Amino acid sequence: MKTSELKYKSSQMVWPKAPYNFGATVFKPSHYPDLTKVYEPDKYWFPLRFRGGIYGVKLINRGTVNKPKIQLFIFSNKPQNKKGIQDIITEVSYRFEFNHDISEFNKKFKKDKVLGPFIKRLRGMRMNCAYDLYGLLMIGIFLQNTVVRRTVQMTNSMLSEYGAKVRFDNKEMFCFWKPEEMMKVPEQDLRVLKVGYRAKLFIKTSKTFVKEKIDEFVLRRMPREEIKKELLKIYGVGPETARILLEECFHSRGVFEHVAPWQQKIYSHLLFNKKLVPAKKIVRYIQKNWGEWATLASHYIWEDIFWQRKNGKKIEWLEREIRL
DNA sequence: CATCAGGGCCCTG
DNA sequence: CAGGGCCCTGAT
């Protein structure tokens, strides 16, 4: 495989809207590890497919939660111009919610009996999505109907075979293939990589992306319910994958309507201190308590336990559910 | 050894 | 609307 060397570099300073929690926003400990990004405390590297090109983006935290400041480096394989740089910054701002105003969320719930402690620990955390819609959909397919270990294995083998390897700032990582490429791959070639029946999904959804000219920039301007309707039309996208895409890629934060069985167990522990509470009850509870902020609220509750785990706390019941 | 379910989804009856 | 099948793998 050919590695793209991104040797042209530019640097800009950006000031996200406070409060902005850099670490908790760029890195999500609940996500499975893969080769598409690199995280170190206060630093984050990822490839960005944008307008037909691949760029390398590096974010460095130069501020605090209350006085956020981020240095944003762009790496490319050809010289950069002002307009291009500005457009990439706008895109990264969208993906990492630099300009979202969450002050109302904090004000409203910092003394909330349930949510308060979570907000205290993760204050300024937002949703993020380093991927474009197509990339995140690929992740969604890797997640379907399997355990995390196998998801990781499938992702890595597919990236090594079909991904675009990029190198910048002395880091190497993979960017997902383009749908135009994947739609032409014979199903048998994918089956060899042990992705099972997902082989068909990768090819079919790629064809859909190309033929229907699915454009996430158009979707972003539509109301949530419209986006959801469009996403569910894609073969292989059901309620859970749509939820992932809506929350992460489209930054939808007001509607909480679906929990997968795995999440159901974890929310049952965290919110009800019980082994298994009916999914419907969990959904109602979260939506009722935190209304137009329900998704963001659930995100705080969700990520918190994984941060504790990352920071070395042993949580027996959680380990059983993760099974890495 | 066999059987089963897993961070779903589609299709069928 | 319930239930079976799908790839593969580790757990039982």
Side-chain angles (χ1 to χ4, degrees), chain A residues 64-75:
Chain A
T64 61
V65 169
N66 289 325
K67 291 204 166 163
K69 182 176 163 185
I70 295 171
Q71 191 173 11
L72 193 163
F73 294 90
I74 299 167
F75 296 81

Side-chain angles (χ1 to χ4, degrees), chain A residues 154-197:
Chain A
M154 289 188 291
T155 308
N156 290 345
S157 57
M158 286 282 286
L159 281 174
S160 316
E161 193 67 29
Y162 298 104
K165 201 188 226 177
V166 297
R167 191 181 157 76
F168 62 98
D169 201 39
N170 288 320
K171 306 273 177 199
E172 261 185 15
M173 59 204 85
F174 285 96
C175 192
F176 281 109
W177 48 86
K178 292 197 283 194
E180 293 81 6
E181 300 157 0
M182 184 50 64
M183 66 185 270
K184 290 186 220 141
V185 177
E187 184 176 334
Q188 195 47 41
D189 291 10
L190 299 185
R191 293 251 166 191
V192 172
L193 301 178
K194 300 179 178 179
V195 297
Y197 65 90

Side-chain angles (χ1 to χ4, degrees), chain A residues 196-246:
Chain A
Y197 65 90
R198 291 170 199 79
K200 196 174 71 181
L201 293 189
F202 290 123
I203 296 163
K204 205 162 171 175
T205 53
S206 298
K207 272 186 190 148
T208 306
F209 259 73
V210 174
K211 294 222 169 101
E212 316 264 324
K213 298 189 170 53
I214 293 178
D215 183 347
E216 66 178 302
F217 296 93
V218 173
L219 291 171
R220 282 180 196 177
R221 290 197 292 270
M222 294 162 54
R224 183 190 188 277
E225 289 314 303
E226 288 294 308
I227 303 175
K228 185 176 151 195
K229 220 173 81 191
E230 292 302 313
L231 293 175
L232 288 173
K233 280 188 206 161
I234 302 170
Y235 185 88
V237 176
E240 175 60 7
T241 307
R243 180 196 68 78
I244 294 172
L245 297 173
L246 282 164

Side-chain angles (χ1 to χ4, degrees), chain A residues 78-179:
Chain A
K78 49 179 191 270
Q80 304 172 12
N81 61 58
K82 253 201 173 121
K83 167 88 166 69
I85 291 172
Q86 196 46 56
D87 289 348
I88 289 173
I89 293 173
T90 303
E91 179 61 12
V92 174
S93 302
Y94 173 83
R95 296 203 194 178
F96 290 82
E97 301 193 357
F98 289 165
N99 301 316
H100 276 217
D101 188 351
I102 56 165
S103 53
E104 188 199 304
F105 172 74
N106 287 315
K107 206 168 119 191
K108 229 171 154 174
F109 301 121
K110 72 178 177 208
K111 292 193 179 135
D112 186 279
K113 257 208 316 234
V114 179
L115 202 52
F118 293 95
I119 292 181
K120 202 165 187 174
R121 288 198 285 273
L122 294 169
R123 207 171 78 86
M125 176 176 75
R126 290 102 191 290
M127 311 288 291
N128 99 55
C129 184
Y131 307 104
D132 55 22
L133 174 61
Y134 179 75
L136 188 59
L137 175 55
M138 295 301 107
I139 299 253
I141 295 173
F142 284 123
L143 284 166
Q144 289 176 10
N145 194 33
T146 188
V147 290
V148 176
R149 184 197 293 266
R150 194 160 164 243
T151 294
V152 172
Q153 186 265 325
M154 289 188 291
T155 308
N156 290 345
S157 57
M158 286 282 286
L159 281 174
S160 316
E161 193 67 29
Y162 298 104
K165 201 188 226 177
V166 297
R167 191 181 157 76
F168 62 98
D169 201 39
N170 288 320
K171 306 273 177 199
E172 261 185 15
M173 59 204 85
F174 285 96
C175 192
F176 281 109
W177 48 86
K178 292 197 283 194

